[in-house]
Amino acid sequence: MKTGKINVQTENIFPIIKKFLYSDHEIFLRELVSNAVDATQKLNALAKIGEYKGEVGETAIEILVDKKKKTISIKDKGLGMTGEEVEQYINEVAFSGAEEFVNKYKDKTDVNNIIGHFGLGFYSSFMVSSKVEIITKSYKEGKAVRWECDGSPDYQLEEHKRKERGTDIILHIADDSDEFLEPARIQTLLTKYCKFLPVEIKFEDKIINNTHPAWTKAPASLTDEDYKNFYKELYPYSFEEPLFHIHLNVDYPFNLTGILYFPRIKQRIEVQKDKIQLYSRQVFITDSVENIVPDFLMLLRGVLDSPDIPLNVSRSYLQSDANVKKISSHITKKVADKLEELFKKDRKDFESKWEDIKVFIEYGMLSDEKFNERAQKFALFKTTDNILYTLEEYAEKIKPLQTDKEKRLIYLYTTNITEQHSYIETAKSRGYEVLVLDTPIDSHFINFIETKLENASFVRVDADTIDKLIKKEESQPSKLSEQQQNTFKPIVEKVIPKEKFTVVFESLSEKDSPILITQPEFMRRMKDMSAMGGGGGMGFMGTPPDMYNLVVNSNHPLISKIIAESDSGKQEQLTKQAADLALLSQNLLKGEELTKFIKRSIELIE
Ligand code: ADP
Ligand code: MG
């Protein structure tokens, strides 16, 4: 057997780094400014422990664009590099000086604010440059040096006359990247990536960043006003104010800080432009946080900052990263904690915000079992009288009246208060309480909740006649004989489309309508599901037809009167009129049939 080392040629690997390390060329600026920030923070750390005895002085990092010379310069007053350090840190690709520094000083001082990690960031400058120069002077004794490289593995290193401590990185921008010579473009990039960096960044004589953003401060030191102002700082083009916020601050078992805001969520979820922003040690990484926070939390706004989320890695890596998974479930827990706290502390206030957070909470309950368990305590259900109950409270409230003879608890609901008005009124006249479940997500939500309940079902108010929705004792006797029903049935069937309506007789109360239209709960749910493309594998059956029951109230005096009518033309006219009234109350009478109904009504009045 033979063992050996694979020989990696720098000539071959360099173009690969250039091309594939980062998909986005613009991040070169983020990398170089981060290095400048690191250099400054390292100097501060050295000054603190007395290893650097000179004056630190003013340390703003400056970005200069020279359109004529086609250069971008990043200038810092940090710790600088000696010639040997340049050879080690810059010429050795993937040797991170940042990591080395952290390992060396972590026991002596706080080095948590150093950004670098992989020792690859600097090379991103070659994605946009035909040549890169470094002019640097270390805080240590010795001459300054100038390094130059055109992107091939060959470089030059020489002494330089520079006297001041610090580093200038000068990028000679390649022709295919001249978009970066537009000051407006640089301004945009700085605002995107560097807005909250911890060292002052100067561009065109202005400081562009806030070095102490709210999420880095102690929650106790911030007022509600501070949080609102920070929201505006994050989303300068947003007109809305957030409903409330959560300040995250964890340091074990992972590091995570941040502020999440609850916005008002519209019924229709829009394409969201103000998204959660992800930072790593105050450096912006991304605002597509799909793999880091659970889907339902993407409706929130704000910032997350975790040094444990690596800067330069791919999405697929993020997805499988253990830290990322922990962060995700931690955030879910914190959000549930906050909602529960708000609910307990001031229920009235919580209720006043309910409409704005309802979609978010229902979506969360549907998609995350742990969140669902927590949300049982604060998820609310609104009745047609605008009373808000938790599911438990509602069940307790309806127990005496809405338990059927099989001891099943019946949750009544409406999907449209105006269209189902007469059915709601009938239910209320029995003392029943009807829930309003009228958003698109609600139909999923009903199915979901029902599977978690024992001995209970959800039934829409118009799914059947009221006495059949909640079956109590045996129904009252019918005033019509079977023979009377049999003769009247074909008369009714003549005036309505037979393929759509099934005529049934029921002995309802005299006070109920003479004729009613109902649609069985299972029928409607099947239709709803196939309309949404789901249907639990029933999609192949196509959309089921609309089928209704036409219920004739055999105890209603009007029905007896129609049956007694000897003029068969008049009898048909009255039957049609009564059936049309029923259709009308369900909003099912339309077009020509509606026109005819109005004409007939006028004739009958005359
Ligand atoms: P990383 O930042 O991950 O360590 P980089 O490729 O970005 O890797 O940088 C390599 C090293 O070069 C840094 O760790 C640092 O030691 C050195 N370096 C880069 N830029 C500067 C700078 N502006 N001032 C001082 N040292 C720098
Ligand atoms: Mg770096």
Side-chain angles (χ1 to χ4, degrees), residues 35 39 42 76 81 89-90 96-98 116-122 167:
N35 283 349
K42 287 175 190 169
D76 69 64
M81 284 177 278
Y89 300 147
I90 300 295
S96 172
H117 187 48
F118 290 100
L120 289 170
F122 172 75
T167 303

Side-chain angles (χ1 to χ4, degrees), residues 31-32 34-35 38 98 115-122 311:
E31 291 298 326
L32 296 179
S34 306
N35 283 349
D38 275 355
I115 303 162
H117 187 48
F118 290 100
L120 289 170
F122 172 75
L311 265 185

Side-chain angles (χ1 to χ4, degrees), residues 421-426 429-430 465-467 504-518 550-560 562 577-586:
H421 183 261
S422 61
Y423 297 85
I424 297 169
E425 286 305 304
T426 314
S429 73
R430 306 277 159 116
T465 56
I466 193 74
D467 291 326
V504 289
F505 287 82
E506 268 181 45
S507 33
L508 306 171
S509 146
E510 286 189 14
K511 284 184 204 120
D512 291 323
S513 306
I515 295 180
L516 279 157
I517 310 286
T518 61
L550 187 144
V551 184
V552 179
N553 179 358
S554 48
N555 291 336
H556 200 282
L558 189 67
I559 298 299
S560 308
I562 295 173
Q577 188 73 1
D580 279 358
L581 279 169
L583 289 169
L584 194 64
S585 84
Q586 266 284 44

Side-chain angles (χ1 to χ4, degrees), residues 311-587:
L311 265 185
N312 299 322
V313 288
S314 67
R315 305 250 111 226
S316 55
Y317 176 83
L318 277 184
Q319 225 162 6
S320 60
D321 188 76
N323 272 325
V324 171
K325 281 209 184 98
K326 272 187 241 154
I327 288 173
S328 166
S329 65
H330 176 81
I331 296 171
T332 308
K333 186 180 163 297
K334 281 288 161 187
V335 168
D337 284 348
K338 180 73 179 191
L339 289 165
E340 193 178 332
E341 178 202 313
L342 289 168
F343 177 77
K344 281 192 180 146
K345 219 167 70 187
D346 189 346
R347 172 145 179 179
K348 245 198 155 137
D349 184 58
F350 187 84
E351 288 190 357
S352 74
K353 288 170 177 154
W354 177 250
E355 286 301 309
D356 290 308
I357 55 173
K358 167 179 155 46
V359 175
F360 166 83
I361 292 175
E362 290 182 355
Y363 185 19
M365 292 168 78
L366 279 169
S367 57
D368 188 311
E369 189 45 45
K370 277 230 174 77
F371 184 79
N372 174 51
E373 275 164 32
R374 300 287 312 274
Q376 296 302 323
K377 293 205 190 91
F378 52 76
L380 297 176
F381 292 79
K382 192 174 79 182
T383 70
T384 52
D385 294 323
N386 285 319
I387 304 168
L388 289 158
Y389 294 115
T390 65
L391 208 54
E392 213 182 294
E393 290 166 350
Y394 178 73
E396 208 46 51
K397 185 84 208 290
I398 64 169
K399 227 177 222 161
L401 287 179
Q402 291 174 229
T403 306
D404 71 9
K405 61 181 182 192
E406 264 113 46
K407 301 258 177 315
R408 241 184 133 67
L409 205 53
I410 308 297
Y411 296 59
L412 291 177
Y413 70 96
T414 171
T415 52
N416 192 320
I417 304 179
T418 38
E419 279 180 14
Q420 292 147 21
H421 183 261
S422 61
Y423 297 85
I424 297 169
E425 286 305 304
T426 314
K428 275 163 72 175
S429 73
R430 306 277 159 116
Y432 300 163
E433 294 212 40
V434 181
L435 300 172
V436 183
L437 294 167
D438 57 359
T439 62
I441 198 173
D442 278 334
S443 57
H444 287 286
F445 196 56
I446 292 165
N447 288 329
F448 172 74
I449 298 280
E450 217 171 36
T451 61
K452 312 252 159 195
L453 295 174
E454 265 173 55
N455 246 337
S457 15
F458 276 79
V459 185
R460 201 167 98 172
V461 273
D462 59 346
D464 211 329
T465 56
I466 193 74
D467 291 326
K468 285 216 170 148
L469 286 178
I470 305 173
K471 281 195 206 118
K472 301 276 174 76
E473 311 83 45
E474 289 319 310
S475 49
Q476 43 193 316
S478 167
K479 278 191 185 158
L480 295 184
S481 69
E482 221 178 295
Q483 203 215 327
Q484 277 174 312
Q485 293 184 12
N486 287 341
T487 26
F488 188 50
K489 197 173 176 183
I491 298 168
V492 182
E493 283 172 344
K494 220 167 129 187
V495 301
I496 42 135
K498 233 168 126 182
E499 66 287 352
K500 237 178 145 179
F501 296 92
T502 313
V503 178
V504 289
F505 287 82
E506 268 181 45
S507 33
L508 306 171
S509 146
E510 286 189 14
K511 284 184 204 120
D512 291 323
S513 306
I515 295 180
L516 279 157
I517 310 286
T518 61
Q519 187 173 34
E521 181 76 13
F522 83 91
M523 191 76 97
R524 210 201 54 256
R525 282 202 206 182
M526 222 162 81
K527 234 187 100 10
D528 284 354
M529 284 199 287
S530 78
M532 289 184 296
M538 306 231 263
F540 65 89
M541 289 167 66
T543 310
D546 257 319
M547 290 287 291
Y548 299 93
N549 287 337
L550 187 144
V551 184
V552 179
N553 179 358
S554 48
N555 291 336
H556 200 282
L558 189 67
I559 298 299
S560 308
K561 197 185 149 193
I562 295 173
I563 290 174
E565 177 61 56
S566 53
D567 179 340
S568 70
K570 185 90 198 237
Q571 188 182 45
E572 195 183 311
Q573 192 192 35
L574 289 172
T575 309
K576 178 84 178 143
Q577 188 73 1
D580 279 358
L581 279 169
L583 289 169
L584 194 64
S585 84
Q586 266 284 44
N587 205 16

Side-chain angles (χ1 to χ4, degrees), residues 21-22 31-40 42 74-82 85-86 88-101 114-124 134-137 166-169 311-312:
L21 182 54
Y22 305 97
E31 291 298 326
L32 296 179
V33 176
S34 306
N35 283 349
V37 167
D38 275 355
T40 313
K42 287 175 190 169
I74 296 98
K75 296 162 169 278
D76 69 64
K77 303 181 183 80
L79 87 174
M81 284 177 278
T82 63
E85 283 166 342
V86 171
Q88 187 177 14
Y89 300 147
I90 300 295
N91 295 340
E92 270 181 47
V93 175
F95 180 89
S96 172
E99 194 145 275
E100 191 198 49
F101 185 91
I114 306 298
I115 303 162
H117 187 48
F118 290 100
L120 289 170
F122 172 75
Y123 280 90
S124 64
I134 304 175
I135 298 166
T136 179
K137 177 162 177 357
T167 303
D168 289 2
I169 308 283
L311 265 185
N312 299 322

